[in-house]
Amino acid sequence: MIVESAKPIFRRPQPDTSLLPEAAQHRLAMLQADALDAANAVQTREKLGLDVVEKQNVANGLRMLNTTISDWLLTRRTPLTDAAAAKPAKDATLASIRSEIFDLQAELRGLEMQNPTRSESEERIREGAVALALQGTPAISSINRPNPSPPDRIRAAWSAAGSADPLATVAWAIGADALAEKLVSMLPPDAPDALPAAERKAAMESAQARLLAAERIEEVLVVAEVEAGRVVVRRPSADPRAVLGVE
């Protein structure tokens, strides 16, 4: 009799929901229940031969959002607290706040790809030249007198650096400063959108704060739409802090 061993079943690690305050734990449980109900609704409509596109979109959004929250919660190590309730403006709509969210995300992407200033580029080049020179330093493996050999004969053996990077050898040969000067002379002037690192960091922190605030408002509007009986497709990439109301 041949007994086949069962194949191991991959199980996703479970996050520690005890790190969430009670209200957030309730929100998470409701989201998970909503995802299950949406998946069941899709199956029911399929069996009845009904259109499932809208229901499928809702189910997919909820499933992926739950995965996003689970993955985020797995990275948490300390308890979270309830955030202050977000208050949408009277004229705010789900469409308008999502448009604002997309604009803020685009702003952040632009800041992430912002050109450095010429002085910052020069600093990086000089640091890199020093590192290259160290990498390119060859090693003398032996110096000895061959035996037998004439009395004045000395044999020296050396090996190239392990990196085998030609530029590293050049940096060692001419000196890090000389290489850096040549490379710096090739730098173009500051780009029109060049932003010093400190200003870029401050701009990114401001955009991130505004984005989180907008996503908190989005969650309030999503809940209102669902309670009103309207169909809402969840954004899978929504910030879990906004969805769960924590900070």
Side-chain angles (χ1 to χ4, degrees):
M1 178 179 180
I2 299 176
V3 179
E4 294 184 1
S5 59
K7 293 182 179 179
I9 300 175
F10 173 75
R11 298 185 186 281
R12 290 180 58 85
Q14 296 301 305
D16 183 4
T17 57
S18 68
L19 296 175
L20 296 170
E22 186 176 348
Q25 291 185 35
H26 176 70
R27 291 190 188 96
L28 179 57
M30 291 297 295
L31 277 172
Q32 292 169 339
D34 288 346
L36 183 59
D37 289 346
N40 289 336
V42 171
Q43 291 181 355
T44 299
R45 292 183 70 84
E46 285 178 337
K47 290 177 181 178
L48 295 174
L50 301 175
D51 181 74
V52 298
V53 174
E54 184 180 83
K55 295 291 185 182
Q56 187 70 67
N57 288 338
V58 172
N60 288 344
L62 283 164
R63 174 179 54 80
M64 290 187 286
L65 177 58
N66 273 295
T67 298
T68 296
I69 294 173
S70 178
D71 289 344
W72 168 79
L73 196 51
L74 284 170
T75 68
R76 310 305 300 178
R77 297 292 180 269
T78 56
L80 296 137
T81 58
D82 290 313
K87 297 180 180 179
K90 290 183 179 180
D91 59 347
T93 65
L94 185 55
S96 68
I97 200 66
R98 282 186 167 174
S99 176
E100 182 179 339
I101 287 170
F102 296 147
D103 288 344
L104 286 166
Q105 289 173 332
E107 180 180 337
L108 270 171
R109 287 193 297 271
L111 287 167
E112 288 168 356
M113 301 188 318
Q114 199 89 36
N115 284 310
T117 62
R118 192 178 190 281
S119 61
E120 288 173 330
S121 298
E122 179 177 343
E123 182 181 348
R124 299 296 183 275
I125 285 174
R126 294 192 184 282
E127 291 173 354
V130 171
L132 273 175
L134 290 174
Q135 293 173 18
T137 304
I140 297 176
S141 54
S142 65
I143 298 180
N144 54 45
R145 296 182 183 279
N147 187 23
S149 67
D152 60 347
R153 183 177 179 190
I154 297 176
R155 178 173 60 191
W158 64 283
S159 59
S163 67
D165 184 342
L167 188 57
T169 304
V170 170
W172 169 78
I174 69 173
D177 288 343
L179 176 62
E181 288 299 332
K182 290 181 178 296
L183 293 174
V184 167
S185 69
M186 299 166 60
L187 286 174
D190 275 337
D193 64 341
L195 199 64
E199 292 182 27
R200 175 176 174 271
K201 181 175 181 292
M204 289 188 67
E205 289 174 349
S206 171
Q208 288 165 348
R210 286 181 283 127
L211 175 59
L212 178 56
E215 293 199 69
R216 292 192 190 282
I217 291 173
E218 176 195 27
E219 181 60 23
V220 173
L221 296 173
V222 165
V223 172
E225 289 287 299
V226 172
E227 289 178 349
R230 289 184 279 272
V231 175
V232 177
V233 177
R234 287 280 192 168
R235 281 192 312 112
S237 61
D239 192 318
R241 294 173 296 175
V243 177
L244 299 178
V246 296
E247 55 186 6

